[in-house]
Amino acid sequence: MIKLFRSYNPLNMLWLALVLILLRITFLSAIPIKEEFPFAELFSRLHLPSSYQYVFPPGLDLFLAGCLVYGQALLINYLVNYHNLLGRSTFLPALTYVTASSLFPPFLMLGAPLVCNFLVIWMLFKLFSFYKGEDIKSTSYDLGMIVAVGTLFYLPFIYLFLTIWLALVVFRPFNWREWVACIIGFATIFFFLAVSYYLSDRMQQFYDIWLPLAAKFKVVISFNYYNYLVLIPVIIILVLGFFKLQQNFFKSYVQTRKSLQLLMMMFLIAGFSFYIRPDFHLDHFLLCAIPAAIFFAYYFLYANYRWFYESLYIILLASIIYFQFNTF
């Protein structure tokens, strides 16, 4: 399987679709009868019809989520190859994203984090352009607006604003105008939202939407450890990927090294931003799937022993399918 996707062959798009179906068809028997789709936060939800959460029937929900994941996988594959993040063209980023976005049953359903991954991909295209850009103030402004739009859909997305500043640190010499431009872009979206609240005499509700940002971190989070055993092969692949990346780090181009560093920081920011949600759901970690998939692909592309990396991927696939059938 991995050997097949190591090559950049258009026929791999068909194999990718088959892997996507394999990882999701086993979940058909466990689809909730009525699945809520809260794709907007409270402050933007007030402008939508009250019944929008249940607009999709369960089967259609799963199908649309699969279509979104397939489209995102192809975009990520194009992003990685266009910026030469792995050193050569391959279809592995698409395969690993389809796999990473199927780890847990909540990942398989339509939700705000899945929709926001399109914005993450858009952000990465613009962030990676910082390295060779001469005047990036307009790009920085656009990125601020993208984060603001993502925040309308999913509040934890606001923390990805930090990745803009981190990208400016990693890719650019200091220019205060570029730092301020992204703030203005972010404020532009919420300025018009505040105006709509002001005109409807609901400014107090606009102030209340920011309260979760000051919430205390929940030290104790209860969960069933058996449901997360699927993460064992994931952790092994990530660790091996980081070791392989360390070995080849200084053999890569400067832009590639900086881009991979930015992806690592984005992975950490997206992962730790879950705590501001009072009603935390596991699908939040779909925001981590894009950088994780790229690190997965890096390992599988440069791994030496075929029997080992093929077996490791098959174990991961088997674990995902097994835990879709079994809940402890």
Side-chain angles (χ1 to χ4, degrees):
M1 179 70 73
I2 298 298
K3 184 70 174 179
L4 178 68
F5 281 88
R6 274 185 165 188
S7 61
Y8 190 73
N9 187 339
L11 287 177
N12 286 338
M13 295 175 65
L14 176 60
W15 291 110
L16 182 68
L18 293 176
V19 173
L20 178 70
I21 294 171
L22 173 66
L23 288 171
R24 291 170 181 265
I25 197 169
T26 55
F27 187 64
L28 285 173
S29 60
I31 296 179
I33 297 176
K34 194 175 185 182
E35 179 69 16
E36 184 179 359
F37 175 42
F39 70 91
E41 288 294 340
L42 177 62
F43 46 90
S44 50
R45 200 183 309 164
L46 293 173
H47 301 277
L48 299 171
S50 59
S51 60
Y52 82 96
Q53 294 104 322
Y54 304 103
V55 66
F56 299 117
L60 182 59
D61 189 339
L62 182 66
F63 174 75
L64 291 176
C67 291
L68 292 182
V69 168
Y70 186 77
Q72 290 170 357
L74 295 180
L75 287 173
I76 293 166
N77 203 77
Y78 175 74
L79 168 74
V80 172
N81 291 328
Y82 180 80
H83 290 282
N84 198 30
L85 296 184
L86 300 184
R88 62 177 185 264
S89 296
T90 175
F91 250 95
L92 282 174
L95 174 67
T96 52
Y97 179 73
V98 165
T99 307
S101 60
S102 305
L103 280 175
F104 300 104
F107 284 17
L108 305 178
M109 306 304 293
L110 206 57
L114 179 60
V115 174
C116 286
N117 270 352
F118 279 109
L119 298 177
V120 174
I121 297 169
W122 192 8
M123 285 183 66
L124 288 173
F125 271 107
K126 289 184 173 293
L127 290 170
F128 292 156
S129 69
F130 278 4
Y131 184 74
K132 295 182 179 179
E134 296 182 2
D135 186 4
I136 64 162
K137 291 189 290 294
S138 61
T139 304
S140 183
Y141 178 85
D142 292 342
L143 283 164
M145 295 186 71
I146 293 172
V147 173
V149 171
T151 305
L152 295 178
F153 288 103
Y154 189 59
L155 185 60
F157 197 86
I158 192 174
Y159 279 99
L160 289 184
F161 187 90
L162 296 175
T163 62
I164 305 175
W165 281 351
L166 289 170
L168 290 172
V169 172
V170 170
F171 290 118
R172 308 286 299 177
F174 179 75
N175 183 336
W176 67 270
R177 294 178 180 84
E178 297 171 354
W179 289 64
V180 173
C182 60
I183 299 176
I184 297 174
F186 183 88
T188 299
I189 299 295
F190 281 95
F191 170 77
F192 288 107
L193 184 65
V195 169
S196 69
Y197 272 85
Y198 176 77
L199 294 177
S200 58
D201 197 23
R202 293 183 299 178
M203 280 303 293
Q204 185 57 47
Q205 296 181 19
F206 180 77
Y207 299 142
D208 292 343
I209 64 179
W210 305 106
L211 293 179
L213 296 178
K216 294 182 179 180
F217 181 75
K218 296 180 181 179
V219 179
V220 179
I221 301 175
S222 60
F223 56 86
N224 191 332
Y225 293 96
Y226 293 105
N227 290 330
Y228 297 89
L229 292 177
V230 68
L231 291 177
I232 293 177
V234 172
I235 294 172
I236 293 174
I237 295 171
L238 276 177
V239 171
L240 292 174
F242 292 145
F243 274 116
K244 188 64 66 174
L245 179 61
Q246 184 183 26
Q247 293 174 4
N248 301 332
F249 190 72
F250 291 103
K251 300 177 184 178
S252 307
Y253 293 110
V254 174
Q255 182 180 4
T256 302
R257 297 202 299 264
K258 290 179 179 291
S259 299
L260 292 173
Q261 288 173 337
L262 181 63
L263 285 170
M264 171 58 71
M265 291 182 282
M266 176 177 281
F267 177 82
L268 295 174
I269 291 171
F272 284 107
S273 64
F274 75 92
Y275 80 92
I276 69 171
R277 293 284 297 183
D279 52 341
F280 166 70
H281 296 288
L282 191 62
D283 64 344
H284 166 85
F285 293 102
L286 270 172
L287 294 176
C288 303
I290 294 175
I294 296 174
F295 291 124
F296 282 5
Y298 193 95
Y299 166 69
F300 285 127
L301 184 62
Y302 290 101
N304 296 322
Y305 302 103
R306 183 178 179 183
W307 67 269
F308 181 76
Y309 64 72
E310 292 283 5
S311 300
L312 193 57
Y313 183 72
I314 291 173
I315 291 172
L316 178 58
L317 285 184
S319 300
I320 293 172
I321 295 173
Y322 176 78
F323 284 101
Q324 286 178 7
F325 276 114
N326 295 273
T327 56
F328 299 92

